[in-house]
Amino acid sequence: MKKFNLFKEIIVVDKNTLLEAMSSQKNFGIRIDGEICYEPFTTADILIYSGVSADNNSIESTLGKNYQIVEDDDRVLIKAFSNWQEIIGFNKLRATYDDTTADGVDEFGTKEMEDIGWNATEFNISYRAIVDMLESECDGTLICIEQVEPYQFSGLGFVANLDEAKDMMFEFCQKKIKKLILEDEDFALDNLSDDELEAAKFFNLAE
């Protein structure tokens, strides 16, 4: 997955397209690639702004005080990291996973992925391990704020292909659980608890 760090990125928007969206009186979004989109937003729309412009508002007043903007002829250059909390709010429901809290990832964005993650925890496979795999193996975008000194990280993950990511999750967990069942006496099939056995069946590793 590609990392889009709002501390470092400047989003470039076509000024005329932005002014047209502002005058439309519709709820519009500015994507991380600078494209303008309109509701209903999809999982491909990773937004740094979402809202409706009031009549005769300037670009600066439409975006608000938490955005740093520079108007440059036919372009608008935007830095958005100061509005991170709001950006989480209008992207969270479309994200594959949310890694913005101190508790880390605790839920996946689709029921199928969540079922895989939930069953995998019976074999001590953490959501963090699954997310690390997705970030290294899947196409997609991690929109985040990240800095080294002092260390700070907060991010939302969007995989490009949910079906592909779901299959990769399943295979990743299945392989790890199969190894545990074969090599760790505590997880031998005869020693599994009822919940562990149900999870093994979920991963097609028990009858």
Side-chain angles (χ1 to χ4, degrees), residues 124-147:
N124 300 327
I125 299 173
S126 68
Y127 280 41
R128 170 60 57 205
I130 296 171
V131 163
D132 287 345
M133 181 277 296
L134 291 175
E135 290 178 1
S136 65
E137 301 293 335
C138 287
D139 291 331
T141 301
L142 177 64
I143 181 174
C144 63
I145 54 170
E146 182 178 32
Q147 61 184 18

Side-chain angles (χ1 to χ4, degrees), residues 54-117:
D55 283 341
N56 301 316
N57 257 5
S58 67
I59 292 173
E60 187 174 10
S61 59
T62 293
L63 297 185
K65 61 181 174 61
N66 287 333
Y67 293 85
Q68 299 173 27
I69 69 166
V70 174
E71 297 186 42
D72 175 26
D73 296 329
D74 58 351
R75 304 182 307 166
V76 179
L77 283 60
I78 304 170
K79 294 206 76 169
F81 68 86
S82 294
N83 206 42
W84 177 237
Q85 290 303 317
E86 283 194 31
I87 290 171
I88 292 171
F90 53 69
N91 280 298
K92 187 174 179 178
L93 290 178
R94 296 187 309 284
T96 309
Y97 60 87
D98 175 0
D99 194 8
T100 63
T101 69
D103 296 330
V105 179
D106 64 359
E107 187 176 10
F108 288 101
T110 72
K111 182 182 184 305
E112 292 82 5
M113 286 183 166
E114 179 60 17
D115 285 346
I116 294 169

Side-chain angles (χ1 to χ4, degrees), residues 36-55:
I36 302 292
C37 56
Y38 294 86
E39 283 191 318
F41 303 126
T42 72
T43 53
D45 296 322
I46 306 172
L47 306 178
I48 58 105
Y49 171 82
S50 176
V52 180
S53 179
D55 283 341

Side-chain angles (χ1 to χ4, degrees), residues 2-19:
K2 297 176 296 185
K3 187 176 287 185
F4 192 92
N5 185 356
L6 286 176
F7 274 129
K8 297 180 178 179
E9 299 287 349
I10 296 174
I11 297 90
V12 181
V13 183
D14 179 80
K15 184 187 287 187
N16 288 333
T17 306
L18 177 56
L19 291 172

